[in-house]
Amino acid sequence: MKLLFLSKRRPMGRDLARNPYGRFFHLPRILGERGHRVSIALLDYENGDKLKFDAHGIRWTSSPLFGYVGSVEQQIADLAPDWVIGFSDTYFGIFAERIARKHGLLSCIDAYDNYESYMSWARPLHWLWRRALRRSDLLTAAGPDLLALMSQGVEDRHSAVVPMAADPIGFTPRDRLKCREALQLSVSAPLVGYCGSMHSSRGVDVLFDAIPLVLEERPEVQFVHSGRTWSNVPLPDSIRSLGFIDDDKVPLLLNSMDVLVVTNRASAFGHYSYPVKLYEAMSCQVPVVATRTRATEWILHRHPDSLVEPGDPQALGAAILRALAVADADYQTVPTWQTNCDIFEQALSSAGGTVQAAAVASTP
């Protein structure tokens, strides 16, 4: 197959062209390794210089806003793709379906979040998104509830769940004490971690309220955070923030933890958010505690004791204490980008074959 992926250059705030990561990179990379011809056309909202290069078996381009459509048209002319695949947000799904239709190509829309929750007031944009979903040849999503949401009204459409996964940069079980020493963390205190954005929309206030309850029972416990802290979310003194750390140190940080906490709200966003930090911690066999949402219920369906009801600091504190009493976790089989790509590749092949067969059957 020949595949053209469309994405913004900095999903989640990180530069795909300079530091490729996540589903936006590893699914195309693995498909390229399997012999498919793959191109990725990135849109640079910061209007930087145009880029064109080959790396990881992929032809990459990056274009500013006003040159992006022309760049994609050129990629279609050069590659003659079978599929145009919209990654990373609403706009790229809409554009992928539209330009694929224009050129008589197959279209796939992939999502890892409920994009309609981002700007709930933008009704014309959401109407275009829904139309693109109805017209697309294949829908893929990070979990079943998100896929069901995307498939409303088109339940007979080709679709597949392609989960999130930890990147292959060392998210495996490691010696806890050595990891702590490498990061200059306490080698004796129990450590509870929170990795990611400290944003009010994530329900971090519930964690803040749970911390004193944990410390009342276990005063030796230390809480550690890595990632962005928003100015309107003051951290309590009981949390040590490491700020941003290099990607290669994140596996060390997770393996330093006795427990990782993932909070969220039971909202239009939270119910359809599939936190990659859960997959990373589970790959390291680190015990996790997470807010119960539709997404985390699916991820942790074999570990219901790890889930706590939203907005309940008492339940969260009790779950953290229970997890601290567990020496090791056993998450058995955790999705990887290789196994996820098996699903994605099969979905593309199956949907493409069905559409082509239908086209032949309808030819006079």
mmCIF file of all heavy atoms in Angstrom, residues 310-351:
data_model
loop_
_atom_site.group_PDB
_atom_site.id
_atom_site.type_symbol
_atom_site.label_atom_id
_atom_site.label_comp_id
_atom_site.label_asym_id
_atom_site.label_seq_id
_atom_site.Cartn_x
_atom_site.Cartn_y
_atom_site.Cartn_z
ATOM 1 N N PRO A 310 -14.677 9.505 40.106
ATOM 2 C CA PRO A 310 -14.246 10.892 39.915
ATOM 3 C C PRO A 310 -14.652 11.772 41.095
ATOM 4 O O PRO A 310 -15.697 11.576 41.707
ATOM 5 C CB PRO A 310 -14.983 11.317 38.635
ATOM 6 C CG PRO A 310 -15.389 10.050 37.965
ATOM 7 C CD PRO A 310 -15.609 9.055 39.054
ATOM 8 N N GLY A 311 -13.793 12.739 41.416
ATOM 9 C CA GLY A 311 -14.139 13.744 42.416
ATOM 10 C C GLY A 311 -14.198 13.237 43.836
ATOM 11 O O GLY A 311 -14.822 13.875 44.689
ATOM 12 N N ASP A 312 -13.535 12.115 44.139
ATOM 13 C CA ASP A 312 -13.609 11.525 45.473
ATOM 14 C C ASP A 312 -12.206 11.390 46.056
ATOM 15 O O ASP A 312 -11.551 10.361 45.886
ATOM 16 C CB ASP A 312 -14.289 10.158 45.389
ATOM 17 C CG ASP A 312 -14.614 9.577 46.766
ATOM 18 O OD1 ASP A 312 -13.977 9.986 47.750
ATOM 19 O OD2 ASP A 312 -15.499 8.700 46.838
ATOM 20 N N PRO A 313 -11.712 12.407 46.771
ATOM 21 C CA PRO A 313 -10.345 12.335 47.307
ATOM 22 C C PRO A 313 -10.176 11.233 48.339
ATOM 23 O O PRO A 313 -9.083 10.649 48.448
ATOM 24 C CB PRO A 313 -10.130 13.726 47.916
ATOM 25 C CG PRO A 313 -11.483 14.307 48.087
ATOM 26 C CD PRO A 313 -12.338 13.717 47.032
ATOM 27 N N GLN A 314 -11.225 10.916 49.109
ATOM 28 C CA GLN A 314 -11.109 9.834 50.098
ATOM 29 C C GLN A 314 -10.852 8.502 49.396
ATOM 30 O O GLN A 314 -9.989 7.715 49.816
ATOM 31 C CB GLN A 314 -12.385 9.749 50.950
ATOM 32 C CG GLN A 314 -12.557 10.864 51.964
ATOM 33 C CD GLN A 314 -13.036 12.169 51.332
ATOM 34 O OE1 GLN A 314 -13.614 12.160 50.225
ATOM 35 N NE2 GLN A 314 -12.828 13.277 52.025
ATOM 36 N N ALA A 315 -11.600 8.255 48.321
ATOM 37 C CA ALA A 315 -11.408 7.008 47.577
ATOM 38 C C ALA A 315 -10.031 6.979 46.913
ATOM 39 O O ALA A 315 -9.373 5.932 46.874
ATOM 40 C CB ALA A 315 -12.506 6.853 46.529
ATOM 41 N N LEU A 316 -9.587 8.131 46.399
ATOM 42 C CA LEU A 316 -8.273 8.184 45.763
ATOM 43 C C LEU A 316 -7.173 7.919 46.786
ATOM 44 O O LEU A 316 -6.241 7.145 46.537
ATOM 45 C CB LEU A 316 -8.067 9.541 45.091
ATOM 46 C CG LEU A 316 -6.709 9.761 44.409
ATOM 47 C CD1 LEU A 316 -6.444 8.691 43.354
ATOM 48 C CD2 LEU A 316 -6.651 11.157 43.776
ATOM 49 N N GLY A 317 -7.269 8.557 47.948
ATOM 50 C CA GLY A 317 -6.267 8.326 48.976
ATOM 51 C C GLY A 317 -6.222 6.872 49.412
ATOM 52 O O GLY A 317 -5.140 6.289 49.577
ATOM 53 N N ALA A 318 -7.402 6.260 49.580
ATOM 54 C CA ALA A 318 -7.456 4.853 49.986
ATOM 55 C C ALA A 318 -6.850 3.949 48.910
ATOM 56 O O ALA A 318 -6.145 2.976 49.224
ATOM 57 C CB ALA A 318 -8.902 4.451 50.273
ATOM 58 N N ALA A 319 -7.097 4.275 47.637
ATOM 59 C CA ALA A 319 -6.551 3.465 46.547
ATOM 60 C C ALA A 319 -5.033 3.589 46.476
ATOM 61 O O ALA A 319 -4.329 2.610 46.195
ATOM 62 C CB ALA A 319 -7.182 3.886 45.219
ATOM 63 N N ILE A 320 -4.518 4.785 46.721
ATOM 64 C CA ILE A 320 -3.061 4.971 46.733
ATOM 65 C C ILE A 320 -2.442 4.142 47.858
ATOM 66 O O ILE A 320 -1.419 3.468 47.665
ATOM 67 C CB ILE A 320 -2.711 6.462 46.886
ATOM 68 C CG1 ILE A 320 -3.112 7.241 45.628
ATOM 69 C CG2 ILE A 320 -1.210 6.643 47.161
ATOM 70 C CD1 ILE A 320 -2.985 8.749 45.768
ATOM 71 N N LEU A 321 -3.056 4.164 49.032
ATOM 72 C CA LEU A 321 -2.542 3.379 50.155
ATOM 73 C C LEU A 321 -2.586 1.883 49.847
ATOM 74 O O LEU A 321 -1.640 1.146 50.180
ATOM 75 C CB LEU A 321 -3.342 3.684 51.418
ATOM 76 C CG LEU A 321 -3.119 5.088 52.018
ATOM 77 C CD1 LEU A 321 -4.162 5.382 53.086
ATOM 78 C CD2 LEU A 321 -1.705 5.196 52.599
ATOM 79 N N ARG A 322 -3.647 1.424 49.200
ATOM 80 C CA ARG A 322 -3.716 0.005 48.826
ATOM 81 C C ARG A 322 -2.617 -0.347 47.842
ATOM 82 O O ARG A 322 -1.965 -1.388 47.952
ATOM 83 C CB ARG A 322 -5.075 -0.324 48.198
ATOM 84 C CG ARG A 322 -6.240 -0.367 49.168
ATOM 85 C CD ARG A 322 -7.423 -1.101 48.541
ATOM 86 N NE ARG A 322 -7.809 -0.549 47.254
ATOM 87 C CZ ARG A 322 -8.684 0.449 47.098
ATOM 88 N NH1 ARG A 322 -9.239 1.011 48.170
ATOM 89 N NH2 ARG A 322 -9.002 0.877 45.894
ATOM 90 N N ALA A 323 -2.402 0.541 46.849
ATOM 91 C CA ALA A 323 -1.387 0.278 45.833
ATOM 92 C C ALA A 323 0.013 0.280 46.443
ATOM 93 O O ALA A 323 0.882 -0.488 46.017
ATOM 94 C CB ALA A 323 -1.487 1.318 44.719
ATOM 95 N N LEU A 324 0.245 1.129 47.438
ATOM 96 C CA LEU A 324 1.554 1.162 48.102
ATOM 97 C C LEU A 324 1.851 -0.144 48.836
ATOM 98 O O LEU A 324 3.015 -0.492 49.054
ATOM 99 C CB LEU A 324 1.620 2.330 49.082
ATOM 100 C CG LEU A 324 1.786 3.719 48.465
ATOM 101 C CD1 LEU A 324 1.559 4.803 49.515
ATOM 102 C CD2 LEU A 324 3.157 3.869 47.822
ATOM 103 N N ALA A 325 0.799 -0.852 49.192
ATOM 104 C CA ALA A 325 0.977 -2.114 49.907
ATOM 105 C C ALA A 325 1.264 -3.278 48.967
ATOM 106 O O ALA A 325 1.576 -4.382 49.420
ATOM 107 C CB ALA A 325 -0.265 -2.420 50.742
ATOM 108 N N VAL A 326 1.176 -3.028 47.665
ATOM 109 C CA VAL A 326 1.427 -4.065 46.669
ATOM 110 C C VAL A 326 2.883 -3.982 46.230
ATOM 111 O O VAL A 326 3.341 -2.930 45.773
ATOM 112 C CB VAL A 326 0.504 -3.906 45.441
ATOM 113 C CG1 VAL A 326 0.842 -4.934 44.380
ATOM 114 C CG2 VAL A 326 -0.953 -4.025 45.868
ATOM 115 N N ALA A 327 3.601 -5.060 46.376
ATOM 116 C CA ALA A 327 5.037 -5.047 46.038
ATOM 117 C C ALA A 327 5.263 -4.861 44.549
ATOM 118 O O ALA A 327 6.090 -4.057 44.125
ATOM 119 C CB ALA A 327 5.689 -6.340 46.511
ATOM 120 N N ASP A 328 4.541 -5.605 43.728
ATOM 121 C CA ASP A 328 4.722 -5.551 42.278
ATOM 122 C C ASP A 328 3.361 -5.655 41.596
ATOM 123 O O ASP A 328 2.427 -6.262 42.125
ATOM 124 C CB ASP A 328 5.624 -6.687 41.788
ATOM 125 C CG ASP A 328 7.048 -6.564 42.317
ATOM 126 O OD1 ASP A 328 7.722 -5.590 41.946
ATOM 127 O OD2 ASP A 328 7.452 -7.430 43.104
ATOM 128 N N ALA A 329 3.290 -5.078 40.423
ATOM 129 C CA ALA A 329 2.082 -5.203 39.606
ATOM 130 C C ALA A 329 2.309 -6.279 38.547
ATOM 131 O O ALA A 329 3.447 -6.620 38.218
ATOM 132 C CB ALA A 329 1.763 -3.870 38.937
ATOM 133 N N ASP A 330 1.223 -6.812 38.035
ATOM 134 C CA ASP A 330 1.313 -7.790 36.955
ATOM 135 C C ASP A 330 0.253 -7.442 35.920
ATOM 136 O O ASP A 330 -0.905 -7.833 36.049
ATOM 137 C CB ASP A 330 1.104 -9.213 37.494
ATOM 138 C CG ASP A 330 1.228 -10.266 36.392
ATOM 139 O OD1 ASP A 330 1.658 -9.913 35.284
ATOM 140 O OD2 ASP A 330 0.888 -11.439 36.657
ATOM 141 N N TYR A 331 0.668 -6.689 34.909
ATOM 142 C CA TYR A 331 -0.274 -6.242 33.884
ATOM 143 C C TYR A 331 -0.275 -7.132 32.647
ATOM 144 O O TYR A 331 -0.923 -6.809 31.654
ATOM 145 C CB TYR A 331 0.025 -4.782 33.520
ATOM 146 C CG TYR A 331 -0.304 -3.846 34.666
ATOM 147 C CD1 TYR A 331 0.699 -3.204 35.375
ATOM 148 C CD2 TYR A 331 -1.621 -3.638 35.055
ATOM 149 C CE1 TYR A 331 0.406 -2.360 36.440
ATOM 150 C CE2 TYR A 331 -1.933 -2.801 36.119
ATOM 151 C CZ TYR A 331 -0.917 -2.166 36.800
ATOM 152 O OH TYR A 331 -1.210 -1.339 37.855
ATOM 153 N N GLN A 332 0.480 -8.229 32.720
ATOM 154 C CA GLN A 332 0.456 -9.236 31.666
ATOM 155 C C GLN A 332 0.695 -8.597 30.303
ATOM 156 O O GLN A 332 1.673 -7.882 30.103
ATOM 157 C CB GLN A 332 -0.852 -10.020 31.729
ATOM 158 C CG GLN A 332 -1.057 -10.714 33.061
ATOM 159 C CD GLN A 332 -2.396 -11.401 33.184
ATOM 160 O OE1 GLN A 332 -3.234 -11.375 32.277
ATOM 161 N NE2 GLN A 332 -2.633 -12.022 34.327
ATOM 162 N N THR A 333 -0.199 -8.807 29.361
ATOM 163 C CA THR A 333 0.013 -8.311 28.004
ATOM 164 C C THR A 333 -0.455 -6.862 27.880
ATOM 165 O O THR A 333 -1.624 -6.549 28.101
ATOM 166 C CB THR A 333 -0.754 -9.170 26.982
ATOM 167 O OG1 THR A 333 -0.317 -10.524 27.100
ATOM 168 C CG2 THR A 333 -0.468 -8.677 25.569
ATOM 169 N N VAL A 334 0.481 -5.975 27.537
ATOM 170 C CA VAL A 334 0.181 -4.561 27.337
ATOM 171 C C VAL A 334 0.368 -4.253 25.849
ATOM 172 O O VAL A 334 1.331 -4.726 25.230
ATOM 173 C CB VAL A 334 1.125 -3.673 28.185
ATOM 174 C CG1 VAL A 334 0.775 -2.201 28.017
ATOM 175 C CG2 VAL A 334 1.040 -4.072 29.664
ATOM 176 N N PRO A 335 -0.544 -3.496 25.227
ATOM 177 C CA PRO A 335 -0.390 -3.190 23.793
ATOM 178 C C PRO A 335 0.961 -2.541 23.488
ATOM 179 O O PRO A 335 1.502 -1.789 24.300
ATOM 180 C CB PRO A 335 -1.541 -2.207 23.520
ATOM 181 C CG PRO A 335 -2.547 -2.492 24.575
ATOM 182 C CD PRO A 335 -1.763 -2.887 25.790
ATOM 183 N N THR A 336 1.491 -2.860 22.322
ATOM 184 C CA THR A 336 2.698 -2.215 21.806
ATOM 185 C C THR A 336 2.371 -1.622 20.446
ATOM 186 O O THR A 336 1.343 -1.956 19.835
ATOM 187 C CB THR A 336 3.850 -3.221 21.654
ATOM 188 O OG1 THR A 336 3.518 -4.156 20.590
ATOM 189 C CG2 THR A 336 4.093 -3.989 22.948
ATOM 190 N N TRP A 337 3.250 -0.760 19.949
ATOM 191 C CA TRP A 337 2.991 -0.192 18.623
ATOM 192 C C TRP A 337 3.067 -1.269 17.539
ATOM 193 O O TRP A 337 2.403 -1.160 16.510
ATOM 194 C CB TRP A 337 3.944 0.961 18.327
ATOM 195 C CG TRP A 337 3.621 2.182 19.132
ATOM 196 C CD1 TRP A 337 4.436 2.890 19.948
ATOM 197 C CD2 TRP A 337 2.343 2.850 19.184
ATOM 198 N NE1 TRP A 337 3.766 3.942 20.526
ATOM 199 C CE2 TRP A 337 2.483 3.941 20.077
ATOM 200 C CE3 TRP A 337 1.103 2.635 18.597
ATOM 201 C CZ2 TRP A 337 1.425 4.811 20.371
ATOM 202 C CZ3 TRP A 337 0.042 3.481 18.898
ATOM 203 C CH2 TRP A 337 0.211 4.552 19.760
ATOM 204 N N GLN A 338 3.838 -2.324 17.763
ATOM 205 C CA GLN A 338 3.876 -3.418 16.787
ATOM 206 C C GLN A 338 2.528 -4.133 16.726
ATOM 207 O O GLN A 338 1.980 -4.357 15.637
ATOM 208 C CB GLN A 338 4.983 -4.412 17.154
ATOM 209 C CG GLN A 338 6.400 -3.910 16.904
ATOM 210 C CD GLN A 338 6.774 -3.892 15.434
ATOM 211 O OE1 GLN A 338 6.062 -4.444 14.586
ATOM 212 N NE2 GLN A 338 7.895 -3.255 15.111
ATOM 213 N N THR A 339 1.975 -4.496 17.888
ATOM 214 C CA THR A 339 0.681 -5.186 17.874
ATOM 215 C C THR A 339 -0.435 -4.258 17.414
ATOM 216 O O THR A 339 -1.374 -4.692 16.726
ATOM 217 C CB THR A 339 0.344 -5.746 19.272
ATOM 218 O OG1 THR A 339 0.327 -4.667 20.230
ATOM 219 C CG2 THR A 339 1.390 -6.759 19.709
ATOM 220 N N ASN A 340 -0.334 -2.974 17.768
ATOM 221 C CA ASN A 340 -1.339 -2.019 17.305
ATOM 222 C C ASN A 340 -1.271 -1.837 15.796
ATOM 223 O O ASN A 340 -2.300 -1.670 15.124
ATOM 224 C CB ASN A 340 -1.141 -0.672 17.991
ATOM 225 C CG ASN A 340 -1.464 -0.732 19.477
ATOM 226 O OD1 ASN A 340 -2.053 -1.699 19.950
ATOM 227 N ND2 ASN A 340 -1.057 0.289 20.206
ATOM 228 N N CYS A 341 -0.052 -1.863 15.254
ATOM 229 C CA CYS A 341 0.090 -1.713 13.800
ATOM 230 C C CYS A 341 -0.476 -2.925 13.064
ATOM 231 O O CYS A 341 -0.968 -2.799 11.946
ATOM 232 C CB CYS A 341 1.557 -1.490 13.438
ATOM 233 S SG CYS A 341 1.781 -0.914 11.737
ATOM 234 N N ASP A 342 -0.404 -4.100 13.690
ATOM 235 C CA ASP A 342 -1.062 -5.277 13.095
ATOM 236 C C ASP A 342 -2.541 -4.983 12.860
ATOM 237 O O ASP A 342 -3.094 -5.283 11.789
ATOM 238 C CB ASP A 342 -0.934 -6.488 14.023
ATOM 239 C CG ASP A 342 0.483 -7.004 14.160
ATOM 240 O OD1 ASP A 342 1.328 -6.669 13.305
ATOM 241 O OD2 ASP A 342 0.749 -7.728 15.138
ATOM 242 N N ILE A 343 -3.179 -4.392 13.879
ATOM 243 C CA ILE A 343 -4.609 -4.069 13.777
ATOM 244 C C ILE A 343 -4.838 -3.019 12.697
ATOM 245 O O ILE A 343 -5.758 -3.142 11.869
ATOM 246 C CB ILE A 343 -5.130 -3.555 15.132
ATOM 247 C CG1 ILE A 343 -4.949 -4.605 16.220
ATOM 248 C CG2 ILE A 343 -6.596 -3.125 15.023
ATOM 249 C CD1 ILE A 343 -5.199 -4.083 17.633
ATOM 250 N N PHE A 344 -4.025 -1.977 12.708
ATOM 251 C CA PHE A 344 -4.188 -0.873 11.762
ATOM 252 C C PHE A 344 -3.970 -1.337 10.326
ATOM 253 O O PHE A 344 -4.758 -1.023 9.428
ATOM 254 C CB PHE A 344 -3.206 0.242 12.127
ATOM 255 C CG PHE A 344 -3.438 1.533 11.402
ATOM 256 C CD1 PHE A 344 -4.687 2.118 11.347
ATOM 257 C CD2 PHE A 344 -2.382 2.193 10.777
ATOM 258 C CE1 PHE A 344 -4.895 3.324 10.684
ATOM 259 C CE2 PHE A 344 -2.578 3.387 10.107
ATOM 260 C CZ PHE A 344 -3.831 3.954 10.058
ATOM 261 N N GLU A 345 -2.920 -2.114 10.112
ATOM 262 C CA GLU A 345 -2.614 -2.612 8.768
ATOM 263 C C GLU A 345 -3.736 -3.502 8.246
ATOM 264 O O GLU A 345 -4.145 -3.390 7.079
ATOM 265 C CB GLU A 345 -1.294 -3.379 8.807
ATOM 266 C CG GLU A 345 -0.807 -3.870 7.445
ATOM 267 C CD GLU A 345 0.507 -4.599 7.545
ATOM 268 O OE1 GLU A 345 0.777 -5.216 8.596
ATOM 269 O OE2 GLU A 345 1.289 -4.564 6.570
ATOM 270 N N GLN A 346 -4.247 -4.379 9.110
ATOM 271 C CA GLN A 346 -5.345 -5.257 8.696
ATOM 272 C C GLN A 346 -6.589 -4.451 8.370
ATOM 273 O O GLN A 346 -7.306 -4.753 7.411
ATOM 274 C CB GLN A 346 -5.647 -6.269 9.799
ATOM 275 C CG GLN A 346 -6.817 -7.192 9.510
ATOM 276 C CD GLN A 346 -6.654 -7.973 8.221
ATOM 277 O OE1 GLN A 346 -5.558 -8.466 7.933
ATOM 278 N NE2 GLN A 346 -7.725 -8.091 7.435
ATOM 279 N N ALA A 347 -6.863 -3.412 9.141
ATOM 280 C CA ALA A 347 -8.047 -2.578 8.885
ATOM 281 C C ALA A 347 -7.927 -1.866 7.549
ATOM 282 O O ALA A 347 -8.902 -1.788 6.782
ATOM 283 C CB ALA A 347 -8.222 -1.562 10.013
ATOM 284 N N LEU A 348 -6.752 -1.325 7.255
ATOM 285 C CA LEU A 348 -6.540 -0.670 5.967
ATOM 286 C C LEU A 348 -6.714 -1.655 4.816
ATOM 287 O O LEU A 348 -7.371 -1.348 3.809
ATOM 288 C CB LEU A 348 -5.137 -0.053 5.919
ATOM 289 C CG LEU A 348 -4.873 1.152 6.818
ATOM 290 C CD1 LEU A 348 -3.376 1.443 6.890
ATOM 291 C CD2 LEU A 348 -5.619 2.391 6.319
ATOM 292 N N SER A 349 -6.129 -2.841 4.956
ATOM 293 C CA SER A 349 -6.220 -3.835 3.882
ATOM 294 C C SER A 349 -7.651 -4.303 3.675
ATOM 295 O O SER A 349 -8.134 -4.415 2.539
ATOM 296 C CB SER A 349 -5.319 -5.040 4.210
ATOM 297 O OG SER A 349 -3.969 -4.664 4.283
ATOM 298 N N SER A 350 -8.347 -4.566 4.797
ATOM 299 C CA SER A 350 -9.715 -5.069 4.695
ATOM 300 C C SER A 350 -10.650 -4.022 4.112
ATOM 301 O O SER A 350 -11.431 -4.313 3.191
ATOM 302 C CB SER A 350 -10.198 -5.497 6.084
ATOM 303 O OG SER A 350 -11.534 -5.927 6.034
ATOM 304 N N ALA A 351 -10.566 -2.795 4.625
ATOM 305 C CA ALA A 351 -11.447 -1.744 4.123
ATOM 306 C C ALA A 351 -11.135 -1.425 2.669
ATOM 307 O O ALA A 351 -12.050 -1.235 1.854
ATOM 308 C CB ALA A 351 -11.307 -0.493 4.989
#
